[in-house]
């Protein structure tokens, strides 16, 4: 998942709960699906599934309730309707046995046919969208399967509407068949988005492997050639960090649909962007950062993964304490790769890292929740944020990225520049990728090996406690400093978040340690006036400029429509104290380390 999705607000256990059978080593008959779009303008995909029963008198099928990489129970089954079952021309009894399960009486048939429709109109990287021009399908919200252990192949055949020319998916094509694809198991099916329509496609090769940039939606204004050339540079920069490309092919699936976000898969990612993305440097750099983040996931989390993230329990929460590695370290490399690829300047790179540090250091919740526990609680907090989240929890994306930065400096320093964080990530990949997964202790150990010194105590402090992070070693090593701020010119500061709600100035958040919380300003208070003079919905900052830090003001608010005056003693607006810059006194040695780290 990407930080851009989360900034809008802001992957286990045994397989299925009631396992009906466990598959042996012999060849297993696939489930075969056919997808049809008889009326795409109504936003439905019709699914026909041919399901082997092994002769059982009844079977259960289920739909996943969440998508790996996006940690919230989504209850996709809510979009399923018109479920029928048959064998040949004989209708079979089918009924629900749980919110996301259906039970079918087979009458002893070896194979049954299940048909259902899925309403597909959510333009997010985890769900489905079907319209006149195209379809974007994800595995979890589309395909039902049998609750069983082991690997059963799943095959998908797409019947195209006449106006749609092709199918783009990282799934392997079935030899000799048209628009038919095969997944070796259900995990692979869930992990493989399917884009159907008339996308713009640019293919390129790195190390003999096919890569495809796929643009669907409205890509007419999106500079596909330039984007493909730059994405190739990100692939090469990633290969230089992590070693050989571990996939058969890779698909960069980008929906040009005025939406945002990205979701990682083993051999692809699905992302969303606006049509003007390649038109301005700022938006383009943001998109390249998203691409670098999601692409780096093909190593970090899709292959090198926390031990808890597999095999997945698709019907329940899967709890994991190291999303600060899976997401945070990926976010760090999401800035590193564009820099090493020459797509971002040193200043832009430092600016990105400064944003991460600033985000951590200005979030009160960093002093309440260790980052490993904000990872564990992501199902109830990070993916379900409210007005108090920043006070109680720390986002594991920026904190993990900052830990990666500090660790990179630490490994370089401790190994006398012989090794870097890249080394640690390569060693972790070699040791724990595939079906193994790593425990927190194993991850700490491999990084300690790279550093040549025991880092378990350091990790315990950085990731398992609420102690403040110590930047001094990293800054000193690279010859960096935080840009000095001038407190004398500080503006008056109240410290509440607000929004313009159709002309009403409404409080949206009240952070700890601000004048607003001390004075008793509440979320949802409508600010009407300061010192008896009306404040317009867009006029709070300008009004506060009429005061200086330390001034006492009377704020008139409407709270559930009752007018109340609240006395507030204004504070001083905190300066941007966490902006990195190269120290003016940096030595030749420090400058050489900077160049080794972030290029010339
Ligand atoms: Zn991510």
């Amino acid at each position: 998942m990407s930080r851009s999705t989360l900034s809008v607000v802001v992957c286990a256990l045994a397989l299925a709960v009631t396992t009906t059978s466990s598959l042996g080593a012999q060849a297993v008959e696939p489930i075969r699906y056919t997808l049809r779009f008889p009326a795409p303008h109504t936003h439905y995909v019709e699914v026909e599934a041919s399901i082997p029963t092994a002769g059982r008198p009844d079977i259960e099928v289920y739909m996943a309730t969440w998508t790996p990489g996006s940690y919230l129970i989504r209850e996709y089954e809510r979009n399923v309707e018109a479920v029928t079952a048959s064998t040949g021309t004989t209708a079979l009894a089918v009924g629900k046995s749980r919110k996301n399960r259906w039970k079918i009486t087979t009458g002893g048939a070896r194979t049954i046919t299940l048909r259902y429709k899925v309403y597909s109109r959510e333009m997010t990287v985890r769900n489905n969208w079907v319209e006149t021009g195209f379809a974007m399908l994800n595995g979890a919200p589309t395909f039902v399967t049998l609750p069983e252990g082991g690997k059963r192949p799943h095959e998908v055949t797409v019947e195209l509407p006449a106006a749609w020319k092709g199918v783009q998916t990282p799934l392997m094509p079935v030899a000799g068949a048209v628009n038919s694809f095969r997944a070796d198991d259900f995990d692979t099916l869930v992990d493989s988005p399917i884009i159907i329509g008339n996308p713009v496609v640019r293919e390129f090769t790195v190390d003999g492997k096919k890569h495809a940039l796929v643009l669907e939606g409205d890509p007419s204004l999106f500079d596909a050639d330039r984007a493909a050339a730059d994405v190739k540079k990100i692939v090469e920069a990633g290969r230089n960090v992590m070693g050989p490309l571990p996939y058969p092919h890779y698909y960069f699936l980008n929906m040009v649909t005025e939406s945002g976000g990205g979701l990682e898969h083993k051999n692809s990612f699905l992302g969303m962007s606006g049509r003007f993305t390649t038109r301005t440097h700022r938006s383009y750099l943001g998109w390249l950062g998203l691409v670098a983040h999601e692409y780096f996931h093909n190593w970090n989390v899709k292959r090198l993964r926390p031990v808890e993230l597999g095999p997945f329990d698709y019907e329940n929460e899967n709890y994991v304490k190291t999303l600060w590695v899976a997401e945070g370290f990926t976010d760090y490399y999401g800035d590193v790769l564009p820099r090493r690829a020459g797509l971002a300047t040193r200043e832009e790179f430092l600016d990105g890292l400064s944003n991460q540090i600033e985000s951590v250091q200005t979030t009160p919740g960093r002093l309440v929740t260790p980052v490993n526990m904000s990872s564990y609680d992501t199902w109830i907090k990070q993916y379900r944020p409210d007005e108090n989240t920043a006070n109680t929890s720390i986002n594991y994306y920026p904190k993990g990225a900052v830990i990666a930065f500090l660790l990179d400096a630490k490994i370089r320093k401790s190994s006398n520049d012989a090794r870097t964080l890249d080394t640690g990530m390569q060693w972790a990949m070699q040791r724990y990728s595939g079906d193994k997964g790593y425990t927190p202790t194993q991850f700490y150990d491999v990084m300690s090996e790279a550093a040549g010194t025991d880092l378990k105590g350091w990790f315990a402090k950085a990731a398992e406690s609420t102690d403040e992070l110590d930047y001094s070693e990293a800054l000193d090593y690279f010859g960096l400093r935080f840009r000095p701020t001038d407190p004398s010119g500080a503006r008056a500061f109240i410290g509440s978040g607000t929004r313009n709600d159709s002309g009403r100035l409404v409080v949206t958040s009240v952070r700890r340690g601000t004048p607003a919380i001390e004075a008793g300003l509440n979320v949802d208070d409508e600010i009407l006036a300061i010192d008896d003079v009306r404040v317009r919905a867009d006029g709070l900052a300008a009004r506060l400029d009429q005061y200086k830090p330390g001034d006492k003001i009377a704020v008139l608010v409407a709270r559930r429509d009752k007018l109340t005056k609240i006395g507030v003693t204004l504070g001083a607006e905190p300066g941007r104290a966490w902006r990195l810059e190269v120290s003016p006194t940096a030595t030749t040695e420090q400058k050489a380390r900077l160049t080794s780290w972030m290029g010339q």
Side-chain angles (χ1 to χ4, degrees):
M1 200 68 181
S2 71
R3 69 177 185 248
S4 62
T5 316
L6 290 155
S7 70
V8 171
V9 271
V10 209
C11 303
L13 317 171
L15 198 64
V17 180
T18 50
T19 298
T20 42
S21 71
S22 200
L23 300 171
Q26 72 277 24
V28 181
E29 205 182 335
I31 298 176
R32 293 188 171 90
Y33 309 89
T34 304
L35 304 180
R36 298 185 179 95
F37 305 88
H41 57 285
T42 62
H43 316 296
Y44 279 89
V45 53
E46 295 191 5
V47 184
E48 181 180 305
S50 175
I51 304 172
T53 70
R56 282 171 285 155
D58 51 64
I59 61 167
E60 247 186 333
V61 296
Y62 78 99
M63 179 167 270
T65 60
W66 67 285
T67 302
S70 186
Y71 305 98
L72 185 65
I73 300 295
R74 306 274 179 189
E75 302 184 327
Y76 299 121
E77 65 276 8
R78 61 202 299 275
N79 292 317
V80 174
E81 63 182 271
V83 183
T84 61
S86 61
T87 177
T89 54
T90 310
L92 299 173
V94 54
K96 287 199 85 164
S97 51
R98 218 188 260 189
K99 68 178 180 182
N100 65 318
R101 287 190 176 209
W102 292 263
K103 191 172 183 178
I104 301 122
T105 305
T106 69
R110 303 291 303 183
T111 303
I112 65 103
T113 301
L114 190 73
R115 292 185 181 86
Y116 56 94
K117 297 163 65 170
V118 184
Y119 182 65
S120 303
R121 202 182 170 280
E122 185 183 305
M123 188 54 78
T124 67
V125 294
R126 56 195 178 258
N127 215 317
N128 293 337
W129 185 279
V130 176
E131 65 173 50
T132 305
F134 65 90
M136 172 196 83
L137 301 179
N138 279 288
T142 304
F143 302 107
V144 299
T145 192
L146 293 162
E148 60 191 357
K151 287 176 177 287
R152 179 184 295 280
H154 292 65
E155 292 184 5
V156 180
T157 299
V158 181
E159 291 187 3
L160 290 175
W164 298 2
K165 299 298 177 229
V167 182
Q168 294 288 332
T169 175
L171 289 169
M172 287 299 191
V174 174
V178 179
N179 295 325
S180 287
F181 305 88
R182 180 182 169 98
D184 285 343
D185 47 45
F186 185 64
D187 291 305
T188 304
L189 186 65
V190 168
D191 197 40
S192 306
I194 304 173
I195 307 299
I196 315 163
N198 303 297
V200 168
V201 181
R202 293 288 182 275
E203 294 185 2
F204 59 89
T205 304
V206 177
D207 294 351
K209 302 267 175 84
K210 172 187 157 178
H211 297 72
L213 172 64
V214 177
L215 303 169
E216 184 53 279
D218 177 13
S220 59
L221 300 176
F222 201 102
D223 189 340
D225 292 326
R226 179 184 172 204
D230 289 340
V231 169
K232 183 180 183 191
K233 292 177 190 166
I234 286 174
V235 170
E236 290 162 344
R239 183 264 325 270
N240 293 344
V241 170
M242 291 301 291
L245 301 178
Y247 43 74
H249 51 226
Y250 193 95
Y251 285 73
F252 300 84
L253 304 171
N254 186 46
M255 304 302 297
V256 188
T257 50
E258 303 303 323
S259 302
L263 189 64
E264 68 275 11
H265 300 286
K266 234 170 168 168
N267 303 327
S268 69
F269 88 83
L270 178 61
M272 292 180 177
S273 66
R275 56 170 56 76
F276 301 114
T277 297
T278 59
R279 296 284 187 100
T280 65
H281 178 69
R282 191 181 147 83
S283 61
Y284 187 51
L285 194 61
W287 183 75
L288 291 171
L290 171 74
V291 170
H293 175 110
E294 304 302 344
Y295 176 67
F296 194 77
H297 269 312
N298 99 73
W299 290 284
N300 194 28
V301 91
K302 294 314 297 186
R303 289 182 172 83
L304 168 63
R305 64 170 172 83
V307 69
E308 299 89 347
L309 291 186
F312 296 117
D313 176 350
Y314 289 105
E315 299 184 278
N316 296 284
E317 291 86 347
N318 292 209
Y319 298 102
V320 51
K321 287 187 177 175
T322 44
L323 289 175
W324 57 275
V325 175
E327 290 297 350
F329 282 42
T330 299
D331 231 19
Y332 177 65
Y333 281 102
D335 283 332
V336 166
L337 298 191
R339 172 64 207 127
R340 296 207 186 141
L343 300 167
T345 65
R346 285 171 64 135
E347 290 68 30
E348 286 163 341
F349 172 73
L350 282 183
D351 204 43
L353 184 56
S354 300
N355 289 342
Q356 306 275 35
I357 295 171
E358 186 174 83
S359 170
V360 173
Q361 296 301 139
T362 59
T363 299
R366 77 188 185 284
L367 302 174
V368 179
T369 306
V371 74
N372 67 330
M373 290 311 298
S374 73
S375 167
Y376 190 88
D377 278 341
T378 190
W379 300 87
I380 57 168
K381 298 223 171 172
Q382 184 136 338
Y383 276 88
R384 291 168 64 191
D386 61 31
E387 77 277 2
N388 201 39
T389 299
N391 284 330
T392 66
S393 191
I394 186 70
N395 186 328
Y396 50 79
Y397 282 72
K399 188 160 184 183
V402 174
I403 291 174
F405 159 59
L406 299 178
L407 179 61
D408 200 352
K410 197 170 260 306
I411 294 173
R412 287 166 188 263
K413 185 183 173 188
S414 303
S415 70
N416 292 315
D417 297 312
R419 293 179 294 277
T420 70
L421 181 59
D422 300 3
T423 323
M425 295 303 288
Q426 286 168 23
W427 289 359
M429 177 76 190
Q430 290 157 12
R431 225 165 282 180
Y432 300 114
S433 65
D435 290 336
K436 292 193 208 78
Y438 58 82
T439 65
T441 302
Q442 287 170 327
F443 187 79
Y444 301 166
D445 283 347
V446 73
M447 290 299 163
S448 297
E449 240 177 274
T453 183
D454 188 354
L455 297 178
K456 278 205 279 293
W458 182 81
F459 276 114
K461 213 163 131 59
E464 299 176 8
S465 88
T466 56
D467 291 0
E468 292 279 22
L469 295 170
D470 181 3
Y471 297 93
S472 55
E473 181 185 52
L475 299 195
D476 180 63
Y477 177 76
F478 288 123
L480 295 169
R481 69 173 186 178
F482 290 117
R483 191 180 304 149
T485 55
D486 178 10
S488 64
R491 302 163 70 190
F493 174 70
I494 192 162
S496 56
T498 56
R499 70 185 149 91
N500 181 342
D501 178 15
S502 308
R504 302 186 322 130
L505 178 60
V506 177
V507 176
T508 54
S509 65
V510 180
R511 286 200 173 194
R512 285 183 193 158
T514 62
I517 200 165
E518 298 303 329
L521 210 60
N522 286 188
V523 168
D524 293 336
D525 283 351
E526 179 185 356
I527 298 175
L528 297 167
I530 292 176
D531 290 345
D532 295 329
V533 179
R534 169 101 187 254
V535 185
R536 305 274 172 186
D538 55 0
L540 181 61
R543 180 63 60 80
L544 289 174
D545 280 344
Q546 303 303 313
Y547 298 90
K548 51 186 191 308
D551 285 354
K552 291 179 168 41
I553 60 172
V555 182
L556 179 67
V557 304
R559 182 175 297 168
R560 295 188 297 273
D561 296 337
K562 185 174 171 62
L563 302 188
T564 308
K565 248 182 197 173
I566 298 172
V568 182
T569 303
L570 294 170
E573 188 176 68
R576 301 195 74 187
W578 303 100
R579 311 308 299 175
L580 291 168
E581 64 179 15
V582 179
S583 167
T585 59
T587 64
T588 310
E589 196 179 16
Q590 286 169 323
K591 285 177 180 163
R593 291 174 190 152
L594 268 178
T595 298
S596 156
W597 174 49
M598 63 174 185
Q600 193 52 260

